[in-house]
Amino acid sequence: MAPPERLDRYPPDLSDEQLYSLVTEIKDWQINHGSLLKVIDTEIEHTVLSHPVGVACFPTLFPRARFSQALDVQEIYNRLYCSVGEDEAWIFNAIRDLIPAEPLADVLWKIHQAAKKSGSVQDISMGIFRSDYMLHLSDEDLDSVPSSKALPETTLKQVEFNSFSCSGGSHANKVANMHHYLTQMGAYNVDDSSFDVESLPANKNIESIASGLALAHRTYGEPRSKLAKQTAVLFIVQPYNFNIADERPIEYALWNREEPVPTYRLDWGPKLLQYTRLTENRELLFQPPWLLSKDPIEISVVYLRAGYEAKEYNPTGYEARLQLEKSAAIKCPSILGHISTFKKIQQALTLPGALEHFLSKSDAAALRETFVPIYPLDKTDAGLYARELVRDKEHSVGYILKPSLEGGGNNVYGEEIPGFLASVPESQWSKYILMKQIDPPMSSNILMSSAGIDSGDVVSELGVLGCCLWKANPSDGGCDMLHNSVAGWTFKTKHADIDEMSVVKGYGCFGTPRLVDI
Amino acid sequence: MAPPERLDRYPPDLSDEQLYSLVTEIKDWQINHGSLLKVIDTEIEHTVLSHPVGVACFPTLFPRARFSQALDVQEIYNRLYCSVGEDEAWIFNAIRDLIPAEPLADVLWKIHQAAKKSGSVQDISMGIFRSDYMLHLSDEDLDSVPSSKALPETTLKQVEFNSFSCSGGSHANKVANMHHYLTQMGAYNVDDSSFDVESLPANKNIESIASGLALAHRTYGEPRSKLAKQTAVLFIVQPYNFNIADERPIEYALWNREEPVPTYRLDWGPKLLQYTRLTENRELLFQPPWLLSKDPIEISVVYLRAGYEAKEYNPTGYEARLQLEKSAAIKCPSILGHISTFKKIQQALTLPGALEHFLSKSDAAALRETFVPIYPLDKTDAGLYARELVRDKEHSVGYILKPSLEGGGNNVYGEEIPGFLASVPESQWSKYILMKQIDPPMSSNILMSSAGIDSGDVVSELGVLGCCLWKANPSDGGCDMLHNSVAGWTFKTKHADIDEMSVVKGYGCFGTPRLVDI
C-alpha cells in the first residue's frame, strides 16, 4: 500500500499523454466488455449504436472499515426485508397513508389484495436487494481544521434500501473488472504512489445474482403442469430498454452455468398476457411465437426488472402483474416485497422498536448505526416534529425531502423545502419523508461519460447487493431463510455539486473503491 | 441431427415476430460481448460510438468432412510457412520480379537486407497464420441436375494464405459463442428441424492465440538487459483503429492468464521510435510516458498488427520496422515471414516440386489437394500459358487476376481481365497472379450488418488459424519447430453476388459453420 501521506494528492496530475492513454484504455475496455448503453432512439431492425457508460477514471479512495461494515450488515438487512415482506399487517400500517396519495402504492396494494383473495400457491419468495450508503462526516470533523489523515473519520449511513428491480449490478461488475485490469497493467502508476491490485475488492455480482436465481429455479423443482416438459426463469423487462447491458449478463450467466438454467425475457405489457397463461393450478406457462417448441415452458422464477412506475399499471399492466402474483412461480420479488422498497418503509423502520419487531437487539443495533433520522410528515409525534422543521428555511437546512418512489430525481433540498411544500396540498404530504442530509467527505477523481470528462471533487455511494430465498412460515408469521448471502456491491460516484446519482441520466459514474486503512 | 431432407429449406422462413426476436437477441448479445466496431470518426476524448459487426443470423451449413480436412492440414501448412520464412534464397527467387513492381515488397526486402547486415541476435520466430478456403463444386456437379443430397459434393480449395497480421480471430470467436448461445436457448427452433448445439464447432481463437504469444514470451526468458526488470509482449497497432474489438481481446487474455503476461500496445509510426530503443546488445526497451515506472520494459515478443500497407513505410515507418527486426525480441512475424504472405509465394508453391522442397511427399500431396491452378504472368512456361489465357475474354472466364498484396479489394474477374491488363504496363504484370476461380456452392442465410439485413444466397470462406514458434536451424537451412498448433478458425459469409469478403467494409459477415454429414 502507498504511504498514507501520498493519498493527499490522489489521483495524481496527468500529462495530456497520460490522460489520452488512460481514456483510450478505458473506452476500448468498455467496448470489448459491454460496459455500454444503447444510444436512445438509434435502434433499428439491423443495427443500434452504443456508447460507454459513465465511469470514474480512477478507483476512489474509501475506508476499508466502512466497506467491511456495509458488507457485514447485509445479511441482517436481508433477513429484515424478508421478514417485512411477509408481514402484511406491519406493511399496511406503514403505508396506510401513502396509498391514497401515491398511485403506485395504491395499485400494488390492490394487486396484493386481489391475489390474496385467490390464496397463495407458492410460499417461497426471492429477493435481490441493494442497500445504498454514503460516508458521513461526524459533526466534529465537519467543523475541525483539515486532519492530517488521508481520509477523515466517517460513519456509514444508509441512503435507501431497494427491494425491487435493483439495477447496476452488472455494470458495477464490469467496471470493477476494468479498474482491476487498469491497475494490473500499470495505468495508474503515473507517480511513485502506485497501488496494489489487492486494494480493489473483487466483484462477482453477475455470478452471484445468477447463482441466486439458479437456486430459486432448482428449489421450484420439476414442472408441475403436465403440459410442460421444462421449467425456466422469466425476466420481465421494459420494452425498448437502452440499459440491456445491465440485465442481459445475468441471463447469459444462467445459460452459461455448468447446469444451464433456461432463461427467457418478456416485455412488460400486452405481450406478457399474450404469451403467458395460468393453468388451473396456476402454474405459469410461457409460450411465445418465437420459440416454436410444441410444449409450453413452465416458469419457475419470475424476475422483475419492470413495473416500477405507476404509469406501467394501465389495465393491461394491472392484469399482467396480478397474473404473475397469483402464479405458482417464485416471484423475485412478491408484491409485498416490492412495496417494501418504498421510502415510507425505510422511515417506518427507524421508529422506536420497529427493528426489534423483526430482529434481535444486537442485530437491530447494528442496522440502526447506519440510520440517519428520517421523519414522516404526518400527524404522529415524529411527523409533527418534522412539520416544525420544514416550517422555515433556517431549520430545514440539512434535510432532504424525498418522495416515497425510488430514484433520486425528485428530491427537494434544504431551504427549498418550505416553499415546495407550500405548493403541495397537505393531503399529498404523506408521499414524502424528510431525511437528515448525509454529509459525505469529498474525494477527487476524473469522471468520464458521453456527457464529457471532468476532474474535481466527487462523492460516492456504495450499494451492497443481497440475495435471498425464503419460505413463509405462517405459524409464527415470519419466514424461514433458505438462502441469505451478500451478492456483491455497486459503487457510483458523482461530482460533488450535482445532487443526482443517476447513471443512465449521465450524472453518476460507475467505479471501484480503493480501500485504504485510514 | 436433423434429417438431411429438412436441410433443403434451411434456414426456415421466419415470421416478423420471429425475426424481430432473433435480431434483438443478436444485437443485445453483440453489445454485451464486444462484437462491435467503433463507428469511424466518432471517437472523441470522452466517448465513442460503436455498432455491431456484421454477422450471419443463422449458422451456415457446411460439410463436416471439409471442415475437418481444413483443420487437419493446418499443421502441415504451419510447417511449410515456417520453412519458407527461413529460406531466404527460395523467397528471393519467388519474389525477384515482384520487388521492382511492388513498393511493399521492395521496402520489406530492403529492411530484411539492412537487418541482415547487422546479424541476427534472435533465432526464434513466431507465426500466427490463417489459411483461407472455400468449398469448390466439382465440374460434374456444376453441370448435373440438382442432387437429392442436402449439400453437393465439394472439395476444399485454398483462397489465400496469410502469414502477417491475421485479423478476424477475436470476432470469429465471439460470433461463434453467440451462435452457440442462440442455438442453446432455442432461437433457431423455429420449425421442427431444430439442431443440436454439437453441430457447431467450438472456437477458442482468443485463448489459443494468447497462449501462443505467452509461450513465445516464456521462451524469450528473463530480461537480458540490466536496465530492465521485466519483460512484456508489445502489440504494434495502427493508430485510430476502429477494429480494436479484434485486437484487444488477445491483450486482455494475456493479462488474464493464471500467470499474467504483461502486454502493451504501441502505435505504428513516430511513437514507435520515441518510446522504444535498442540497447547495445539490441534488447528492445519500451518506456512510454504513460507508464511512469522508472525502469524500461524489455520486449520479449513483438506482435505486428500494422505495417501491411506500403504507405506506412515512410522514413519513420522504415526505421521503426528495421529497429524491430534488428532487435532481440521474438518477432511475430519476422520480415521474411511477412514476405511469405504475398500471393507470389502462394503461386510459387504451386510450381512442380516446390512443396517437396520443404515437405515430405505425403504432406505435399495433402496440401496440393487444396490448391487451384495459379499462374504468374511472367515469361516462364507457366507465365506464358497464363498470358495466353488472358489474351481474350473467352479464355479468361473462370479466372481471377489478383495483385500480390493482401485483401480482396483489387481483384479483377474473368472477362474483365484482358481489358484491365491492356491498361497496365507489362513491367507491372509481375505484381499479379492469375488464379482459377473457385466455384462455391450456394447456401442460404440472413446477413445483418450496419448496412442492412437481407436474406438470400450466400457463400462462405473458412479460415484456419495456425500458431507456431520455431528456431532457425542454420546447419540444414531449415527450422526446428518449438510449437505447432491449430489455433482455431474464422468463418465469413457474404451474399453470393458480392465479390468482396471484407467485414470491415461491410460485405462479409462473421458466422459459424453448422457441420453436417452430407
Side-chain angles (χ1 to χ4, degrees), chain B residues 273-314:
Chain B
L273 288 173
Q274 276 173 276
Y275 306 143
T276 69
R277 65 178 196 276
L278 292 185
T279 64
E280 217 167 283
N281 297 322
R282 287 195 263 152
E283 292 98 4
L284 183 65
L285 299 186
F286 175 59
Q287 194 166 25
W290 56 85
L291 293 174
L292 267 197
S293 80
K294 273 167 289 178
D295 309 309
I297 296 163
E298 184 170 327
I299 296 305
S300 53
V301 182
V302 169
Y303 177 39
L304 284 143
R305 292 288 294 246
Y308 47 82
E309 294 176 296
K311 67 177 181 200
E312 293 176 274
Y313 290 89
N314 58 13

Side-chain angles (χ1 to χ4, degrees), chain A residues 78-97:
Chain A
N78 289 347
R79 263 191 286 121
L80 172 65
Y81 275 83
C82 295
S83 304
V84 167
E86 293 298 331
D87 197 333
E88 184 196 22
W90 191 91
I91 289 181
F92 181 69
N93 195 46
I95 64 158
R96 183 200 308 261
D97 293 344

Side-chain angles (χ1 to χ4, degrees), chain B residues 31-56:
Chain B
I31 287 176
N32 273 287
H33 296 82
S35 177
L36 302 168
L37 296 173
K38 286 183 181 175
V39 181
I40 293 175
D41 292 336
T42 63
E43 182 148 14
I44 49 177
E45 185 182 42
H46 59 272
T47 196
V48 58
L49 295 179
S50 53
H51 55 191
V53 72
V55 294

Side-chain angles (χ1 to χ4, degrees), chain B residues 167-189:
Chain B
S167 65
S170 298
H171 278 305
N173 197 152
K174 294 174 188 181
V175 173
N177 291 352
M178 178 182 83
H179 282 131
H180 186 278
Y181 161 74
L182 291 169
T183 305
Q184 184 191 26
M185 62 89 75
Y188 299 135
N189 291 352

Side-chain angles (χ1 to χ4, degrees), chain A residues 14 26 70 119 175 253 275 283 363 380 388 433:
Chain A
L14 299 182
I26 289 175
V175 174
Y275 305 144
E283 293 99 2
D363 284 348
T380 60
E388 198 60 37
I433 58 159

Side-chain angles (χ1 to χ4, degrees), chain A residues 197-254:
Chain A
V197 76
E198 303 301 321
S199 63
L200 305 182
N203 191 311
K204 305 270 183 200
N205 294 346
I206 296 168
E207 193 183 307
S208 308
I209 294 172
S211 169
L213 288 164
L215 174 64
H217 173 76
R218 284 200 308 276
T219 304
Y220 183 88
E222 294 300 303
R224 303 172 183 195
S225 164
K226 283 177 186 156
L227 299 169
K229 296 213 177 88
Q230 64 156 322
T231 57
V233 173
L234 189 64
F235 280 41
I236 309 294
V237 298
Q238 288 190 331
Y240 313 111
N241 189 353
F242 63 96
N243 196 17
I244 51 103
D246 196 52
E247 297 164 359
R248 287 286 200 179
I250 305 168
E251 299 174 51
Y252 302 139
L254 282 161

Side-chain angles (χ1 to χ4, degrees), chain A residues 17 27-29 31-32 34 38 43-46 50 174 184 190 248 252 255 275 292 449 453, chain B residues 17 21 27-29 31-32 34 38 43-46 50 174 184 190 248 252 255 275 292 449 453:
Chain A
E17 231 162 2
K27 286 177 289 185
D28 283 6
W29 199 97
I31 287 176
N32 273 287
K38 286 182 180 175
E43 182 148 15
I44 50 177
E45 185 182 43
H46 59 273
S50 53
K174 293 174 188 181
Q184 184 191 25
V190 284
R248 287 286 200 179
Y252 302 139
W255 281 105
Y275 305 144
L292 267 197
S449 74
I453 183 166
Chain B
E17 230 162 3
S21 168
K27 287 177 290 185
D28 284 6
W29 198 97
I31 287 176
N32 273 287
K38 286 183 181 175
E43 182 148 14
I44 49 177
E45 185 182 42
H46 59 272
S50 53
K174 294 174 188 181
Q184 184 191 26
V190 283
R248 288 286 200 178
Y252 302 139
W255 280 107
Y275 306 143
L292 267 197
S449 74
I453 183 167

Side-chain angles (χ1 to χ4, degrees), chain B residues 2 47 60 86 92 112 115 118 158 166-167 183 197 230 267 275 287 328 331 365 387 405 431 447 467 483 509-510:
Chain B
T47 196
T60 303
E86 293 298 331
F92 180 69
H112 165 64
S118 315
Q158 188 180 53
C166 298
S167 65
T183 305
V197 76
Q230 64 157 322
D267 286 351
Y275 306 143
Q287 194 166 25
K331 272 75 68 183
R387 285 172 181 234
L405 291 177
K431 272 162 80 161
L447 303 186
C467 194
H483 175 76
C509 288
F510 283 103

